[in-house]
Amino acid sequence: MLVNKVVRPYGLYDLLLFFLFLFALIIPITDAAKDKKPKIASNYAPKRIKCPNDSNKPLLREANSISFEESKWLHKRKQVTVPALKNFLLRATENFEDNSFVDQLFQDDEDNNVPKIGIAISGGGYRSMLTGAGILSAMDDRTINSTVNGLGGLLQSTSYIAGVSGGNWLVGSLAWNNWTSVQSIIDNWNVDDKDDDDNDTDENDSIEVTETEEVTGGEDADYEVNPIWDLHDSIISPGGMNIFKSAKRWDHISNAIQAKQDAGFETSLTDVWGRALSYNFFPNLNRGGIDYTWSSLRNAKVFQEAQMPFPISLSDGRYPGSSVINLNATLFEFNPFEMGSWDSSLNAFFDVRYLGTNVSNGIPINPYKEENTEATTKVTKDDVDVIEDNHECIIGYDNTAFIMATSSTLFNQFLLRINSTKLPVPKFITRLATHFLNDLSQDYNDIAVYHPNPFKDSQFVLDNFTTSITKSDSLYLVDGGEDDENIPFVPLIQKDRDLDIIFALDSSADMKLQWPDGSSLVHTYERQFFKQGDGMAFPYVPDTNTFVNLGLNKRPTFFGCDASNMTDLEYIPPLVVYMPNSEYSFKSNQSAFKLSYSETQRRQMIQNGFEIATRNNFTDDPDFLSCIGCAIMRRKQEFLNITLPIECESCFVTYCWDGELDTTELPDSEKDWHHSFVYENGKPNDTNSTVKDSGTFVSLQDDNSPYLRDSNSKNIKDHSDEDHYKNTKIYTGTLINIKFIMLLLCIVTFLVGLI
């Protein structure tokens, strides 16, 4: 659905039909909607086990470095990335007069001079997932012709890949499907979608069951072999016109959530969201991977052999009792080994495998009782080590789709945007949708609830920060883009990860036209001047007006090309290659709340993404591949004082931001609707006490600074130190009424469709 799409007004007759359809959908009046295998639902519930024999070792650690497991894994990954990157760089520079300098980067026996690459994929729902898929396919040598007309081999040279919200759907659905390729997914779509007019059909109409089938297989298996990302029907009505199929799906979801609560664990709307999303991401697993865990990736051969980048998902923390997400929010990352935060307000990581365990400072505190083991609980040797301790640990809490949903609670995003006068929504829709969503917010159902809090009583919070997170009984997480840092830079710019370059794929909707405008880069840049930004560095970037006026939001741009200009930062940050969503062959500014795509639309979105990554198949710039190669080598070239050839200097003139500013007022359709949090109406807002007192930040207070732009951002109020909020309890009412939620989601979807 494009923003400017004109739709026929709905009449009373349409509304009556719509609501009749809803009630027919949510009320399972026949056996077709009943769960024939109710025992499967219990697989979603976490399991209680004896803690492993090393449980005296805390499940928590200080965030003073990357983990031992990650470091060990990276050593394996380097054996894959080094030869792949050398091949890529030699291909990128093959037309140079002299490319012998490439060999200088690979002469060290320890490969310490080889550039280290990360990819960050923004939020933006299916828009971001599909556009990002196209860009990744251009970087993947498994894509047909990617080494001829694309950036093939770049993905194989990458050490880290991070996603937030819709970008996390892309990362998660590739990584947890045996690191499948976008090409493989496309090849296994069928082309008989109801809305498609194409005749270029593929012979295969489904993909093979992946190696992860064994996770949820067995005699009770209940799944259909379907293609990944089959988005023809909305997750709200997955059966399309088959209302019984939709009702059956939601009955399965309802039973799964009920099973988790019956097992004594809190549930939230994010459980529902994750279960609903999972069927599109893991269609070949039992009920969308009902018991498929995030930490299980450690056991996957493709990960153990480091044949894929290290995946990271990002979410925002919400202080107990507060309702504002801002630049001081604690950012949480999930990786296959741990979840936690580098931020000083937490400064800790927890073993993601044992989420749900009741701990104090990382030590399990509940005694294990034999009666906790039910006949239906199956614990294999892969679940735990030799068990000797008598404390209780939890496994299975880290459901893969639940974690992916944690990073993408779009309901929060909709709630924040629906109240904005900048959103082109009729007032009666605003009032109705806000009424429903506010009710959810009041019940804590608009967030992901992690209970018990894995960081309870943690001792790693720095002295000058509130301990409200570690004092809370529950951990509250929301969409990773809620703080307007909609590209997951923070995990990748950590100094300990030592990246040289980050490819930033931005499909944010920063303006009414739903194109990006660099806002995410601006907010990440600003974060380093707040207390939460201690120890981080990010390259200089312009304001959002300049992004748009200079067209930096429509083509690739390099930021941080000259390390000598960033010596006043905490350290020299990675160079950033910014790849914004823009139109080449398809209008890819689709709504984040568009919940269904025909196959033709999916293919067009992915093709457009491929063209973004390759500058229209190198027709806009035949030298773009070479310029990407130069950007990758730039940091190591500066460090080693290697003279780059004239071809690279020409690339930097073309693609590096040189500090030019153009703050000319933009038309309403292109104005940034996120705005800076640093300044409120041209003056420091009430967070100025949390801003680091540094000369660099003071320089931004100059009257001529482009960062003193008018802002309608939220007034930030942090309640975290108020006694009333320190022990805030989560919502503990009756089980969420899934049928009611489905009705609500259908209504919201319908209302958005009026836009």
Side-chain angles (χ1 to χ4, degrees):
M1 178 184 65
L2 297 178
V3 172
N4 294 326
K5 179 180 178 181
V6 178
V7 297
R8 177 178 62 85
Y10 286 86
L12 180 60
Y13 178 73
D14 298 296
L15 292 173
L16 288 174
L17 286 178
F18 173 73
F19 283 105
L20 284 174
F21 171 76
L22 286 182
F23 283 109
L25 183 65
I26 65 174
I27 303 175
I29 59 176
T30 73
D31 287 341
K34 294 182 180 179
D35 193 346
K36 303 297 184 182
K37 300 177 181 178
K39 287 185 178 180
I40 298 178
S42 65
N43 291 333
Y44 184 65
K47 308 297 186 291
R48 291 174 168 82
I49 63 168
K50 286 183 180 179
C51 291
N53 58 0
D54 61 350
S55 61
N56 288 328
K57 175 184 176 182
L59 300 175
L60 192 72
R61 72 170 183 89
E62 185 177 6
N64 54 8
S65 66
I66 60 175
S67 68
F68 170 78
E69 293 80 6
E70 181 179 339
S71 178
K72 184 178 178 181
W73 184 92
L74 285 172
H75 181 73
K76 284 186 179 180
R77 180 61 179 167
K78 184 184 288 188
Q79 298 172 27
V80 177
T81 59
V82 169
L85 182 57
K86 185 174 183 179
N87 289 337
F88 177 85
L89 292 176
L90 288 174
R91 181 167 64 89
T93 60
E94 63 183 357
N95 293 325
F96 285 14
E97 184 175 331
D98 180 10
N99 68 351
S100 60
F101 67 93
V102 173
D103 292 328
Q104 297 182 52
L105 301 177
F106 297 87
Q107 290 176 349
D108 182 72
D109 291 338
E110 299 296 325
D111 296 318
N112 292 324
N113 296 328
V114 177
K116 202 171 177 182
I117 302 170
I119 298 174
I121 309 172
S122 79
Y126 289 143
R127 176 187 66 241
S128 177
M129 184 184 79
L130 294 172
T131 299
I135 298 176
L136 287 188
S137 70
M139 299 176 173
D140 191 344
D141 64 14
R142 296 173 294 177
T143 302
I144 297 173
N145 293 326
S146 66
T147 56
V148 177
N149 298 319
L151 306 177
L154 180 54
L155 186 59
Q156 283 67 33
S157 306
T158 298
S159 297
Y160 290 92
I161 185 167
V164 62
S165 197
N168 177 54
W169 300 349
L170 172 59
V171 174
S173 54
L174 294 179
W176 274 262
N177 275 298
N178 201 37
W179 189 237
T180 189
S181 66
V182 175
Q183 181 72 64
S184 177
I185 292 175
I186 294 175
D187 287 345
N188 289 286
W189 282 340
N190 58 51
V191 197
D192 59 356
D193 279 84
K194 292 182 278 292
D195 293 339
D196 287 323
D197 298 323
D198 293 42
N199 293 318
D200 53 333
T201 59
D202 293 328
E203 293 181 0
N204 299 325
D205 61 358
S206 63
I207 65 174
E208 295 181 358
V209 179
T210 67
E211 294 180 9
T212 57
E213 179 188 346
E214 61 187 55
V215 176
T216 51
E219 62 181 12
D220 289 330
D222 182 18
Y223 59 86
E224 299 176 358
V225 180
N226 294 315
I228 300 171
W229 303 344
D230 182 1
L231 310 178
H232 182 274
D233 295 310
S234 165
I235 61 172
I236 306 303
S237 53
M241 297 304 295
N242 184 343
I243 63 175
F244 300 120
K245 179 179 179 180
S246 295
K248 179 180 179 181
R249 171 73 58 81
W250 282 97
D251 197 49
H252 288 175
I253 293 173
S254 178
N255 290 343
I257 309 305
Q258 179 73 61
K260 182 176 179 179
Q261 192 170 57
D262 287 347
F265 297 92
E266 299 294 342
T267 56
S268 63
L269 187 57
T270 306
D271 287 279
V272 183
W273 184 226
R275 286 286 77 234
L277 287 170
S278 67
Y279 289 84
N280 287 333
F281 300 150
F282 311 111
N284 307 306
L285 297 182
N286 200 3
R287 294 193 181 177
I290 193 169
D291 60 352
Y292 192 25
T293 59
W294 187 265
S295 57
S296 68
L297 187 65
R298 306 178 195 178
N299 302 322
K301 183 178 179 180
V302 68
F303 181 76
Q304 289 181 336
E305 295 182 352
Q307 294 296 319
M308 57 177 288
F310 192 79
I312 297 174
S313 172
L314 194 68
S315 294
D316 288 344
R318 192 174 95 168
Y319 278 112
S322 71
S323 58
V324 175
I325 307 301
N326 54 57
L327 282 171
N328 273 338
T330 302
L331 305 187
F332 288 78
E333 75 168 62
F334 290 80
N335 66 57
F337 299 114
E338 304 175 303
M339 67 86 66
S341 179
W342 298 92
D343 293 343
S344 301
S345 52
L346 186 60
N347 189 38
F349 281 93
F350 187 89
D351 189 335
V352 70
R353 189 183 203 177
Y354 297 109
L355 284 174
T357 301
N358 195 9
V359 297
S360 176
N361 195 29
I363 301 294
I365 59 177
N366 284 357
Y368 178 76
K369 300 178 181 179
E370 290 296 334
E371 58 266 29
N372 285 339
T373 304
E374 301 177 3
T376 57
T377 300
K378 298 179 181 179
V379 180
T380 69
K381 64 180 181 179
D382 290 330
D383 291 323
V384 292
D385 300 321
V386 178
I387 299 172
E388 296 178 353
D389 202 3
N390 62 349
H391 285 99
E392 177 187 273
C393 283
I394 303 299
I395 59 172
Y397 195 102
D398 61 320
N399 181 274
T400 303
F402 177 63
I403 290 178
M404 291 170 69
T406 297
S407 179
S408 60
T409 50
L410 292 176
F411 310 102
N412 304 65
Q413 197 73 277
F414 189 58
L415 178 59
L416 293 175
R417 297 288 172 255
I418 198 71
N419 287 315
S420 172
T421 57
K422 300 179 184 301
L423 191 67
V425 181
K427 288 185 178 181
F428 80 93
I429 294 178
T430 301
R431 288 193 295 267
L432 181 59
T434 302
H435 170 73
F436 282 118
L437 289 167
N438 275 333
D439 286 343
L440 286 177
S441 180
Q442 291 166 5
D443 287 340
Y444 287 88
N445 285 334
D446 63 324
I447 59 177
V449 177
Y450 285 72
H451 182 83
N453 181 4
F455 302 100
K456 185 67 182 283
D457 302 326
S458 171
Q459 303 299 307
F460 299 123
V461 179
L462 297 191
D463 292 339
N464 57 340
F465 281 81
T466 177
T467 57
S468 60
I469 292 179
T470 59
K471 289 182 178 179
S472 175
D473 291 332
S474 301
L475 179 67
Y476 307 90
L477 301 179
V478 296
D479 193 299
E482 292 288 349
D483 59 353
D484 290 333
E485 293 178 76
N486 199 37
I487 303 176
F489 284 118
V490 172
L492 301 183
I493 59 178
Q494 296 302 317
K495 190 174 183 179
D496 288 322
R497 286 186 167 139
D498 194 30
L499 292 186
D500 295 282
I501 186 169
I502 298 172
F503 289 85
L505 320 185
D506 191 6
S507 294
S508 304
D510 295 328
M511 58 179 73
K512 288 182 180 180
L513 295 177
Q514 299 202 145
W515 297 112
D517 67 2
S519 177
S520 295
L521 281 75
V522 172
H523 283 88
T524 302
Y525 170 78
E526 291 175 341
R527 184 179 178 86
Q528 67 188 314
F529 304 114
F530 277 67
K531 284 168 62 178
Q532 286 285 50
D534 280 337
M536 67 167 272
F538 193 78
Y540 295 106
V541 296
D543 62 293
T544 55
N545 281 16
T546 295
F547 263 96
V548 177
N549 287 325
L550 298 184
L552 306 182
N553 68 327
K554 293 182 178 180
R555 61 176 180 83
T557 304
F558 305 166
F559 294 98
C561 290
D562 192 344
S564 64
N565 289 336
M566 296 182 288
T567 55
D568 56 341
L569 300 179
E570 292 274 352
Y571 53 89
I572 303 301
L575 185 149
V576 172
V577 174
Y578 181 58
M579 291 186 168
N581 181 27
S582 53
E583 180 183 352
Y584 282 86
S585 59
F586 187 68
K587 293 183 182 298
S588 53
N589 57 332
Q590 305 290 308
S591 169
F593 301 102
K594 176 180 170 64
L595 298 181
S596 63
Y597 285 78
S598 69
E599 183 179 339
T600 295
Q601 291 174 326
R602 278 172 266 153
R603 289 179 180 271
Q604 290 171 327
M605 289 285 287
I606 291 174
Q607 178 62 39
N608 191 76
F610 189 100
E611 292 159 357
I612 290 171
T614 60
R615 300 228 61 195
N616 203 15
N617 300 306
F618 300 139
T619 59
D620 290 353
D621 182 1
D623 297 324
F624 186 61
L625 172 62
S626 299
C627 291
I628 290 295
C630 293
I632 291 172
M633 295 183 288
R634 179 59 168 171
R635 281 289 179 269
K636 286 295 190 280
Q637 171 263 319
E638 291 175 308
F639 176 76
L640 298 173
N641 197 28
I642 298 174
T643 301
L644 287 180
I646 190 64
E647 291 92 343
C648 282
E649 296 300 333
S650 177
C651 284
F652 295 147
V653 171
T654 301
Y655 288 103
C656 290
W657 178 59
D658 60 2
E660 179 185 357
L661 298 174
D662 184 348
T663 60
T664 304
E665 184 77 6
L666 296 170
D668 288 343
S669 61
E670 294 183 328
K671 284 184 178 178
D672 175 45
W673 60 10
H674 297 298
H675 301 292
S676 169
F677 283 92
V678 174
Y679 289 95
E680 185 73 33
N681 296 321
K683 298 179 180 179
N685 59 27
D686 60 1
T687 60
N688 60 344
S689 61
T690 67
V691 176
K692 290 193 293 187
D693 185 14
S694 68
T696 304
F697 182 79
V698 171
S699 68
L700 297 182
Q701 301 180 32
D702 181 76
D703 290 340
N704 295 322
S705 170
Y707 296 92
L708 286 175
R709 55 192 182 279
D710 182 49
S711 171
N712 292 314
S713 59
K714 314 171 198 65
N715 285 310
I716 301 169
K717 183 171 178 57
D718 181 6
H719 298 287
S720 56
D721 288 325
E722 299 180 17
D723 292 337
H724 176 68
Y725 292 101
K726 285 185 177 179
N727 296 306
T728 302
K729 303 295 183 182
I730 64 171
Y731 173 67
T732 56
T734 57
L735 174 70
I736 299 171
N737 188 324
I738 305 299
K739 307 302 187 297
F740 170 75
I741 289 177
M742 185 179 175
L743 173 61
L744 169 63
L745 295 179
C746 288
I747 291 173
V748 171
T749 303
F750 169 71
L751 295 176
V752 173
L754 292 176
I755 300 174

